[in-house]
Amino acid sequence: MDKYEDELRSIYPKLDIALKAKDIKKLTAFYDEKYTLVSDGKTLDRVAAVNQWKSVLEFLQKVEKLETHIEK
């Protein structure tokens, strides 16, 4: 396991908790100013990625189960 995988393994449980709680600040706490997200073929900057999560959380009613898979 490399250091990045270790870091992801420590972050994902926190993200799972934030998603279940619909807590946008905790969900996006790891996004720095240079953060980008590729979603639906588009590259989003930090602000757009946070706004996308806000939109998703408006429609999300309940998180019953989360599974995190880390692929190399």
Side-chain angles (χ1 to χ4, degrees), residues 1-2 6 17 19 21 27-28 32 34-35 39 43 48-49 52 58 62 65 69:
M1 218 177 317
D2 64 23
D6 288 341
I17 291 167
L19 185 57
L27 190 59
T28 60
D32 67 9
K34 294 181 182 178
Y35 179 83
S39 178
T43 301
Q52 183 182 54
E58 286 178 18
K62 182 179 179 183
K65 181 179 178 182
H69 301 274

Side-chain angles (χ1 to χ4, degrees), residues 6-68:
D6 288 341
E7 186 176 358
L8 284 174
R9 288 187 186 281
S10 71
I11 290 172
Y12 272 104
K14 295 172 188 173
L15 293 177
D16 290 348
I17 291 167
L19 185 57
K20 284 181 183 177
K22 295 174 49 172
D23 187 327
I24 189 70
K25 287 186 179 190
K26 288 182 180 177
L27 190 59
T28 60
F30 300 99
Y31 295 7
D32 67 9
E33 292 303 316
K34 294 181 182 178
Y35 179 83
T36 59
L37 171 69
V38 177
S39 178
D40 295 328
K42 299 175 188 172
T43 301
L44 307 176
D45 64 8
R46 182 189 185 284
V47 172
V50 170
N51 286 337
Q52 183 182 54
W53 269 117
K54 286 178 182 177
S55 177
V56 168
L57 293 179
E58 286 178 18
F59 294 101
L60 189 66
Q61 292 181 4
K62 182 179 179 183
V63 177
E64 291 187 19
K65 181 179 178 182
L66 293 169
E67 289 185 26
T68 301

